[in-house]
Every structure is written in C-alpha cells, then in structure tokens.
Amino acid sequence: MTATSLPPKSPVRVRIRVNRIVLYTVLVSVTGLFLGPFGWLVLTGLKTPAELASAPVHWVPADIQWHNFADAFDLIDFLGYARNSLIIAFIYAGLVTLSSAWVGYGFARLSAPGKKVLFGILIGSMMLPQMITLLPTYLIFAKLGMVDTYWPWVLWGLSSAPYLVFLFRQFFAGLPRELEEAAIVDGCGYGTIFWRIFLPQSWPVLSASFVIAFTWTWGDYIAPQLLLSTDKSTLAVAVMTTYVSSAGTPITNLQAAASVMYVVPILLIFLVAQRGFVAGMSTTGLK
C-alpha cells in the first residue's frame, strides 16, 4: 500500500505529516538564524544615532530614516570604490577559476611520480592562516614594484586556489575514461581534451568556483588595505574606515546602511548563479 492510498487518519499518514511539520519548523528556524544578523543590519541602517545609543535597545526604529542610505552613498565615492572591487573580483575570480580547473584536470587525469604527495601538500596548504603569509606576500610584491597596483590579484588568480583545485579534481575524476581515450585515438592532445571536452562539461563547478572566488575577493579587507592606496582601494575598506565622525568614532547607522548596499551585489550574483552553484557543490564528490 502506497502513501497516497492510506486512509486520512492512518498512523503512517499522521507520522508523515508530523515529520514534515518538524522538518519545516527546523528549516524556518535555521533560515531565521542566518537572516537575523542581516535583518538587524538593515534595522540599524534605518535608525537615528540617538536610537542606537539609547538603553534599553530599540529593536525597531520609531522613525525610519530612509535617507541614511542616500547619505551613506553620497558621503564617499561609493560607485568608484564599488568599481574597484568589481574589477579586482572579476579579474581574480575569472583567472583563478580557469587556473584551478587546469590544475584539477592534471591531478585527476594525468599520471606522474609524486602526484599524490603533491596533492596532499596542496590540500594541507588550506590549513595555513592568511596572517602567516601576509608579511612575506607584502615584501615580495614590494620588491617587484606591484604595491598599489592590481597585479597581485592577477598573479594570485594565475596561481590557482587549493579548495577550487580540489573541487575540479573531484569532478574531473568522475568523468568516464572513455571520453579522453576516444579523443586520444582521434589525435587530440591533453590540452585539446581539456578545453574542448572536459571544460565544457564542468559548467556546474565553473559556476560554483566563480561565485566562491568572487565572494572571497569582494569580502577581502586585509589585502586591499595592505596593498592599495585610498584611491584604488575597495568598497570593503571604504565601508570599514570612512564612516567616522570628527571625533574619530564610527557613524554606525551610516556604516550599517553602506554595509547593506555592499552586500547586494553578492546576493544578486548568487541568485543568478545559484542553480550552477548548487549543482557544482553537489556533483564534485560523485563518481
């Protein structure tokens, strides 16, 4: 007897309904937990300075200050900083996605002595905190004359990223061996096989990798603050350092309003690429 043919009051149907209610309750609770900080950020951006300093806390603004968003936009060169962030993010995300795909293809489909050891070292490098490599990175780029330029992000993009290499390696390892064997019989080299056969089939991982890399760069505060001057800096640095009063204290409501506008491009990119992102994350471990 199937679930659709069960009587309305059967114990199985009641249990299924209870399980669904519990599942939906958990999902709604988790969603609220993740959306809570963003909602609080939006409410903070709509308050007056007096409400932010009041005790007890005013959870909902008494008089909504929509002009805070316009003031935050006009107080700095918002579009200029956003343009700098977009340039850096697109350069890095595009290059690191392609370079990671190429390295992942090599680890997945090519044979060489010490390949497993090299892959283990690559995965182990993911455990290194960014702060450990911060000073050597700055000294190297300073010696090369690349400080206050966007060349560091170009070089980082061409160097691939361990996590993205892992994603591509897992995806390419699951493709049938017959694909490249047939291509080799037809006279194709490994470069042609990668560009014409493997890369076109990896669009889910390409989408996921691009979104991940774009998010990394868009949200990075340390590298732009260290390597770029004020004119070439990014929106993340501007939001954190520019909205201050004459006394040097942060203007919290304007900073919150700017942060909301700062998050919007990431949300739009994820909404556009969410199907490929989810598909890429769900297929990288399948054989």
Side-chain angles (χ1 to χ4, degrees):
M1 180 179 293
T2 62
T4 55
S5 62
L6 292 173
K9 297 296 183 180
S10 68
V12 176
R13 182 176 292 275
V14 172
R15 186 167 60 251
I16 292 174
R17 184 171 300 177
V18 171
N19 290 339
R20 287 180 178 176
I21 293 175
V22 172
L23 177 61
Y24 291 152
T25 303
V26 172
L27 292 177
V28 171
S29 301
V30 173
T31 302
L33 184 64
F34 279 97
L35 292 180
F38 183 72
W40 177 253
L41 188 68
V42 174
L43 292 176
T44 302
L46 296 173
K47 294 178 181 179
T48 62
E51 286 182 309
L52 292 174
S54 64
V57 176
H58 287 191
W59 295 97
V60 180
D63 185 15
I64 296 178
Q65 306 291 312
W66 292 108
H67 64 84
N68 285 345
F69 289 88
D71 294 342
F73 188 86
D74 296 333
L75 188 61
I76 65 173
D77 185 12
F78 199 93
L79 290 180
Y81 288 120
R83 182 188 63 247
N84 295 341
S85 294
L86 287 172
I87 291 174
I88 291 176
F90 274 111
I91 288 175
Y92 176 76
L95 291 176
V96 79
T97 297
L98 291 178
S99 62
S100 299
W102 179 248
V103 176
Y105 169 75
F107 276 118
R109 313 302 291 199
L110 304 182
S111 299
K115 184 179 72 172
K116 292 184 178 180
V117 175
L118 289 176
F119 186 70
I121 296 174
L122 180 75
I123 297 302
S125 66
M126 295 169 56
M127 302 180 185
L128 293 176
Q130 184 183 12
M131 298 302 295
I132 292 179
T133 60
L134 191 60
L135 182 59
T137 298
Y138 177 80
L139 293 176
I140 291 173
F141 289 136
K143 290 290 185 180
L144 295 175
M146 294 182 179
V147 174
D148 201 21
T149 69
Y150 294 155
W151 277 106
W153 283 267
V154 175
L155 296 181
W156 283 327
L158 293 175
S159 301
S160 73
Y163 179 67
L164 302 184
V165 170
F166 173 76
L167 290 182
F168 280 105
R169 188 260 184 189
Q170 295 299 102
F171 181 82
F172 289 145
L175 294 180
R177 181 68 64 177
E178 289 79 11
L179 286 174
E180 57 188 324
E181 290 177 351
I184 291 174
V185 170
D186 290 338
C188 296
Y190 286 109
T192 304
I193 294 173
F194 171 74
W195 286 106
R196 293 190 177 183
I197 299 177
F198 279 73
L199 196 63
Q201 296 192 56
S202 64
W203 68 265
V205 192
L206 289 171
S207 300
S209 299
F210 185 87
V211 172
I212 292 172
F214 188 95
T215 305
W216 285 345
T217 314
W218 183 265
D220 187 18
Y221 171 82
I222 297 177
Q225 176 75 344
L226 184 67
L227 297 173
L228 298 176
S229 62
T230 302
D231 293 337
K232 295 182 179 180
S233 192
T234 60
L235 191 57
V237 177
V239 169
M240 293 299 297
T241 60
T242 309
Y243 296 99
V244 294
S245 64
S246 57
T249 57
I251 308 176
T252 310
N253 56 345
L254 296 187
Q255 196 174 58
S259 299
V260 173
M261 294 186 288
Y262 166 75
V263 173
V264 168
I266 292 294
L267 294 179
L268 293 178
I269 289 177
F270 179 77
L271 290 175
V272 171
Q274 63 174 328
R275 178 175 297 181
F277 180 82
V278 174
M281 298 302 294
S282 61
T283 57
T284 49
L286 298 181
K287 283 287 185 181

